[in-house]
Amino acid sequence: MPISTRLQRVALTGCLLLAALLAGQQSGHAADEYTRRASAPTQPSLGDLATGKRDRLEFGSPEFKGWVRKDGEWYIEGEVNHLGLLCADYEMGVRFGAGSPGCGNVEWLSEVRYATRRKQCNGATVKHTGGATEPELAGLFGKITCAERVIRCSGNCK
């Protein structure tokens, strides 16, 4: 077989491999996006229990904690683990629902509201903290029995 024919075959094979690799990266990007969820029932804050009010609900688990107030202000914090060496973007948010009891058979009353966005690399564990005031939550406050922490990742998620 002449050298030019061999070179053409090698070049063609290389181009086909490169095209397959690039196609796999484009279609594989969706596999690198994921969402983790964890729920916790709400309970009146200790201050509210002492005064007999119901102005703030607290929620938490070993992974996260936070609160929501009667005026719609909310706060959430928790650690987010990234297991890979290459970087990924993580967002932490929360949504609120009504369940019976607590987080059983939940009807979600709000959409997920993201409070943080952090780039994490090299196996980092980063504490995410954030919150906002959402006036529409004020009207739902009396129904809230459950909070769900949502972590959304894009990039090299692990």
Side-chain angles (χ1 to χ4, degrees), residues 106-147:
V106 178
E107 174 191 344
W108 296 109
L109 303 171
S110 70
E111 297 296 319
V112 177
R113 291 150 162 91
Y114 289 95
T116 68
R117 182 175 178 88
R118 304 278 304 269
K119 183 175 288 296
Q120 294 180 221
C121 310
N122 301 325
T125 297
V126 175
K127 184 174 184 178
H128 286 239
T129 62
T133 300
E134 315 259 349
E136 60 271 14
L137 286 176
L140 302 171
F141 183 82
K143 297 178 183 178
I144 295 172
T145 65
C146 184

Side-chain angles (χ1 to χ4, degrees), residues 30-155:
D32 287 347
E33 295 179 3
Y34 73 90
T35 302
R36 285 186 286 196
R37 299 176 184 273
S39 297
T42 60
Q43 58 191 10
S45 69
L46 291 177
D48 281 1
L49 289 174
T51 62
K53 295 180 185 177
R54 188 179 157 134
D55 292 332
R56 179 173 137 158
L57 299 172
E58 296 178 345
F59 53 88
S61 74
E63 301 169 343
F64 68 98
K65 66 181 179 178
W67 47 260
V68 59
R69 288 193 176 137
K70 194 173 189 173
D71 66 359
E73 182 182 8
W74 59 270
Y75 171 83
I76 189 165
E77 70 178 53
E79 291 186 342
V80 176
N81 300 315
H82 173 68
L83 302 176
L85 293 176
L86 299 176
C87 301
D89 292 313
Y90 290 88
E91 294 174 274
M92 185 171 66
V94 66
R95 70 177 174 167
F96 299 99
S100 176
C103 290
N105 300 316
V106 178
E107 174 191 344
W108 296 109
L109 303 171
S110 70
E111 297 296 319
V112 177
R113 291 150 162 91
Y114 289 95
T116 68
R117 182 175 178 88
R118 304 278 304 269
K119 183 175 288 296
Q120 294 180 221
C121 310
N122 301 325
T125 297
V126 175
K127 184 174 184 178
H128 286 239
T129 62
T133 300
E134 315 259 349
E136 60 271 14
L137 286 176
L140 302 171
F141 183 82
K143 297 178 183 178
I144 295 172
T145 65
C146 184
E148 182 179 56
R149 188 242 16 226
V150 180
I151 296 173
R152 180 168 62 184
C153 178
S154 59

